[in-house]
Amino acid sequence: MKVLIVGGGGREHALAWKCAQSRRVDHVFVAPGNAGTALEPNTSNVPIAADDLNALLEFALREKVDLTVVGPEGPLVAGIVDRFAAAGCACFGPSRAAARLEGSKAFTKDFLQRHRIPTAGYAAFTAENFDPSFIRAQRLPLVVKADGLAAGKGVVICESHESAIGAASGMLGGSFGAAGNTVVIEEFLHGEEVSFIVVAGGGHVLPLATSQDHKRRDDGDRGPNTGGMGAYSPAPLVTPELHARIMREVIEPTLHGLRRDGTPYTGFLYAGLMIAGDGTPHVLEYNCRFGDPETQPILMRLQSDLIDLCGAALGGSLDRCEATWDSRAALGVIMAAGGYPEGYRTGDAITGLDAAARLPGKIFHAGTRASGSQILTAGGRVLCAVGRGASVAAAQHEAYELVHAIHWHSVHYRRDIGYRAIARERAARRS
Ligand code: AMP
C-alpha cells in the first residue's frame, strides 16, 4: 500500500519513519518532507506544500495513494479530510467542522463549557464588544489568546491589567491577522502541564502513551514560548488514577459531545492539560493532530503498526485494537537555530550526523534541506534527538549523547529536558 504524509517537520519525519516500518506499506511519500525523510528507506519527498490541497489531492489520485496521514493543523482546519473524502480518498484526520477544536479557541471554550469539561474561566470579545473594564475586574495573571491559528504564538500571559488590555487590543487591531478577530481572555491556571493524545474514530478511542513537553525556550522553563523544545514519554505525573480521570472527565465527554453536536471526530486528538494541585485535569487547548515534538518520543515507543491503528479508527474497529509499547522511556531534545523563536538564520551546514547515526537512538529532522552532499539548516527547529532508556534519566542521557555529536553555527538547545520527570523518579527511588 502507498501512504502519503502531509507536512515537513519533525513530527512528519517520525510519522513517515513509523509508517514505512508497517508490513502493509510499500512506499511512503512525504509532502513536502525534509532532508531526513528523503533518506528513510522506501520513502520519498514530493515537492508539494502542506497547504496546497488541490495539488495534494491530485497527487493522491494520480499515485493511487491508499492512505493519507496529515501532520499539521493548517490543512485539517482548511478541510483537507472533507476534500479527500469527497474524491473517495482515505485521509486520516478530523473533518473541517471537528478541527474547529483547534481552529477556534472561542469555539472550544464554548464547547467545553456546554459539555461541562473542566477548563479555565473565560470571556471572548471582538473589536465591536471589547470591554477593557472586564479585564480590569479580573485577578492576575491573565491569559490573552488569539482565537484562530497563530503558529503557537497567539498566547500571552499578562502580569498586569494594562499589558492584558494592550495584548488584546493589539490582537483585535490585527497583529495576528484574522486569527485575532476574536480574543479569549482566560483565567491563569496553576499546576503541571501534560499532553494527552488519543486516536479516535468510529465512536471508539484508543489512548496513546502519555507525554510531557517543554514549551519555553530556555533551561528551567524560562524565556519565550516556542513550538516545543523537547518532550518525553511516559509522563510519570500521569498515574493510572489520573489517566482514568482524564479519560472519564475530558476525553470521553469531548468525543461524546462532538458526536452529539453532529461533528464526530476521527484522527489524532491532542489535549493540552493543566493538572491542578487537587488532580483535576483542566483543558488548556485541543490540537486536532499529533503534537510536535511529542510525536517523536511517543512513536519511538510504539511497537504496534501505526497503519493498523489508523485503519481501525477509519473502519470503526478501534475497540478491538490494543497498542503495545516499549517499556523504556523515550526523550527528545530539539536542536534549534540560535534566535528561534524570533529571527534566526538558515543555511548553516550541520556536521556530525553520520557520527550520530552510529549511536543508539534516532535523529528526526525538521527544518533541514540537502545541498549537494551537505545538510543545511532550513528552519527554527532543526532536529530532534531522541534517546531511550530504562528511566527518563537514562533516555535523557542517550538523547544528549546524540546532541553532543552534532554541531552547526549558533545551535541552541535546552540542557534540562525531562528535569521534572527525573526529579520525580529520584523522589520515588528515595521513598
Ligand atoms: P495554548 O496554545 O492555549 O496551549 O497555550 C500555550 C501555552 O500557554 C500552554 O501550553 C501553557 O503553558 C500556557 N497557557 C495557556 N493557557 C493557560 C492558562 N489558562 N493558564 C496558565 N497557562 C496557560
Side-chain angles (χ1 to χ4, degrees):
M1 107 184 235
K2 290 183 189 173
V3 172
L4 170 63
I5 307 288
V6 176
R11 165 184 50 213
E12 289 76 23
H13 187 179
L15 286 167
W17 166 82
K18 186 68 191 165
C19 289
Q21 290 169 22
S22 168
R23 57 190 155 69
R24 290 162 61 189
V25 170
D26 302 301
H27 197 79
V28 176
F29 298 104
V30 195
N34 56 41
T37 52
L39 295 174
E40 293 292 343
N42 304 324
T43 303
S44 51
N45 289 347
V46 182
I48 302 176
D51 59 0
D52 190 346
L53 305 196
N54 289 334
L56 289 168
L57 180 56
E58 212 173 277
F59 178 83
L61 288 168
R62 189 174 66 239
E63 285 293 333
K64 298 190 171 50
V65 167
D66 299 282
L67 177 66
T68 298
V69 179
V70 185
E73 62 279 13
L76 292 165
V77 171
I80 187 171
V81 170
D82 312 64
R83 291 282 298 278
F84 272 54
C89 289
C91 186
F92 188 67
S95 65
R96 180 183 180 153
R100 270 186 305 172
L101 225 40
E102 176 162 5
S104 166
K105 291 192 190 288
F107 167 85
T108 301
K109 295 298 288 189
D110 173 65
F111 173 88
L112 293 168
Q113 214 165 48
R114 268 191 301 117
H115 294 283
R116 299 179 194 285
I117 297 163
T119 190
Y122 83 106
F125 295 100
T126 61
E128 283 69 46
N129 66 3
F130 178 52
D131 177 10
S133 68
F134 170 85
I135 289 185
R136 289 205 184 89
Q138 305 306 308
R139 239 187 318 171
L140 294 169
L142 265 178
V143 188
V144 179
K145 299 183 174 183
D147 175 57
L149 296 183
K153 298 195 181 89
V155 175
V156 189
I157 294 168
C158 302
E159 304 289 344
S160 73
H161 292 120
E162 290 318 306
S163 66
I165 291 168
S169 306
M171 287 177 188
L172 292 169
S175 59
F176 284 96
N181 286 351
T182 299
V183 294
V184 168
I185 315 289
E186 201 174 277
E187 166 200 6
F188 182 86
L189 295 175
H190 296 271
E192 198 171 335
E193 281 186 61
V194 163
S195 313
F196 199 90
I197 305 171
V198 301
V199 179
H204 303 293
V205 59
L206 183 77
L208 298 177
T210 58
S211 61
Q212 240 169 327
D213 75 339
H214 292 273
K215 287 221 165 50
R216 302 292 199 97
R217 186 190 60 196
D218 303 324
D219 285 0
D221 292 321
R222 290 175 219 281
N225 251 329
T226 69
M229 293 302 290
Y232 50 93
S233 170
L237 175 68
V238 184
T239 59
E241 294 72 34
L242 180 57
H243 194 280
R245 228 179 134 176
I246 293 170
M247 288 300 288
R248 195 173 59 239
E249 295 177 27
V250 174
I251 301 297
E252 280 159 11
T254 296
L255 295 172
H256 185 71
L258 286 165
R259 268 202 310 282
R260 264 211 337 241
D261 292 351
T263 51
Y265 196 97
T266 300
F268 299 112
L269 177 65
Y270 170 129
L273 303 171
M274 184 72 86
I275 311 300
D278 68 354
T280 306
H282 293 271
V283 177
L284 287 179
E285 62 164 343
Y286 267 121
N287 293 324
C288 62
R289 33 85 192 170
F290 227 132
D292 190 344
E294 291 92 334
T295 306
Q296 294 86 317
I298 289 178
L299 290 187
M300 280 287 275
R301 295 187 58 220
L302 180 65
Q303 289 170 331
S304 311
D305 188 320
L306 184 62
I307 294 294
D308 286 349
L309 297 185
C310 296
L314 287 166
S317 61
L318 213 45
D319 55 328
R320 278 172 267 144
C321 270
E322 216 179 307
T324 53
W325 299 97
D326 187 331
S327 61
R328 286 176 295 174
L331 181 143
V333 178
I334 294 292
M335 301 181 74
Y340 171 78
E342 280 104 37
Y344 53 82
R345 42 183 248 176
T346 58
D348 288 317
I350 304 172
T351 59
L353 285 165
D354 290 340
R358 289 190 291 273
L359 294 171
K362 170 88 184 161
I363 297 285
F364 292 107
H365 289 226
T368 62
R369 72 182 169 84
S371 171
S373 60
Q374 284 193 314
I375 292 187
L376 308 180
T377 64
R381 292 191 293 173
V382 177
L383 301 172
C384 180
V386 184
R388 281 175 296 202
S391 59
V392 176
Q396 186 201 51
H397 179 79
E398 194 172 288
Y400 280 105
E401 291 286 302
L402 287 169
V403 168
H404 296 149
I406 293 173
H407 302 280
W408 69 84
H409 179 78
S410 79
V411 53
H412 171 78
Y413 55 86
R414 281 182 54 165
R415 289 168 168 75
D416 65 348
I417 298 301
Y419 74 92
R420 285 178 205 276
I422 292 169
R424 221 175 234 109
E425 284 176 349
R426 288 205 183 111
R429 236 177 289 131
R430 276 197 301 271
S431 63

